Amino acid sequence: MRPQIIHILGGPGCGKGTQCVRLATKYHFKHLSAGDLLRQEQSREGSQYSKLISDIIKEGKIVPDFITCNLLVDSILNEQKTNKFLIDGYPRNEENLKGWLNATKEKELDIQALIFFECSKEIMWERIKKRAQNSNREDDNLNSFTKRLDTFYNHTMKVKDYFQSQNKCITINAEDTPENIFMTIEQRLKFLLK
Ligand SMILES: Nc1ncnc2c1ncn2[C@@H]1O[C@H](COP(=O)(O)OP(=O)(O)OP(=O)(O)O)[C@@H](O)[C@H]1O
Ligand SMILES: O=c1ccn([C@@H]2O[C@H](COP(=O)(O)O)[C@@H](O)[C@H]2O)c(=O)[nH]1
Ligand SMILES: [Mg+2]
């Protein structure tokens, strides 16, 4: 069977990772966070992209697609246990989208839906501020958050528009508790979750 893909997008700190962990655990998806894969590549000894990735993440910008797309495709092709994938935080802009649509066509990957989280910037910043107390992420600070937000509104929203035009976008209010958000996702995605 062709690998099945669900994308998750939303602003910085809205709760994408939190809900992906829940979905992956209950419905046996492989959770692939593009940000985590980039951070791993950044800290991989000998990586030629280490500094580039670090600089881009701090500036809240978007890493060139050939890097991110290759990391994701490699992870999918190397996965042995499941053919269901949650792709968290990608595609982030039109360049990512173009690269991803080419790659998925070539590798016969089936994109089923985009879960898009809606959350106010005030709530996202509160969540990131709290996370910053225990994380060592280089972008968990007000300066990077402001830049990430700008990138989100100016670039990532165009990706949402694309999925909407394909009738594949499921919008979820992410301002509730993690438990209630998860229940809403389960209700709205009943047709895909097994
Ligand atoms: N519904 C929620 N209510 C309150 N706090 C939440 C909720 N969902 C997630 N959080 C907390 O907010 C922080 C950000 O959540 P998470 O890391 O899942 O967001 P994200 O969208 O993946 O962020 P990023 O885009 O920076 O990777 C975490 O500390 C998480 O525990
Ligand atoms: O596809 C992607 C995903 C992420 N980035 C960069 O990483 C940071 C952090 O991403 P999270 O998903 O929030 O962990 C993001 O702000 C980008 O700078 C990327 O370039 N491309
Ligand atoms: Mg995340």
Side-chain angles (χ1 to χ4, degrees), residues 16-33:
K16 300 178 289 297
T18 302
Q19 295 301 327
C20 282
V21 169
R22 284 172 180 253
L23 279 168
T25 306
K26 184 161 177 184
Y27 295 100
H28 312 292
F29 285 92
K30 175 78 178 174
H31 171 204
L32 295 176
S33 155

Side-chain angles (χ1 to χ4, degrees), residues 5-10 14 16 23 29 86 111-119 159-174 181-193:
I5 310 242
I6 297 178
H7 290 275
I8 295 91
L9 287 176
C14 70
K16 300 178 289 297
L23 279 168
F29 285 92
L86 292 173
I111 303 178
Q112 296 187 303
L114 166 69
I115 303 176
F116 187 88
F117 288 142
E118 284 188 327
C119 193
V159 177
K160 179 194 178 196
D161 294 343
Y162 168 77
F163 280 99
Q164 251 171 344
S165 76
Q166 300 291 305
N167 283 325
K168 284 186 173 174
C169 179
I170 294 157
T171 303
I172 303 279
N173 173 8
I181 296 168
F182 188 64
M183 277 198 299
T184 308
I185 295 173
E186 284 188 298
Q187 283 161 8
R188 302 280 308 279
L189 268 91
K190 221 179 258 164
F191 68 107
L192 282 181
L193 299 173

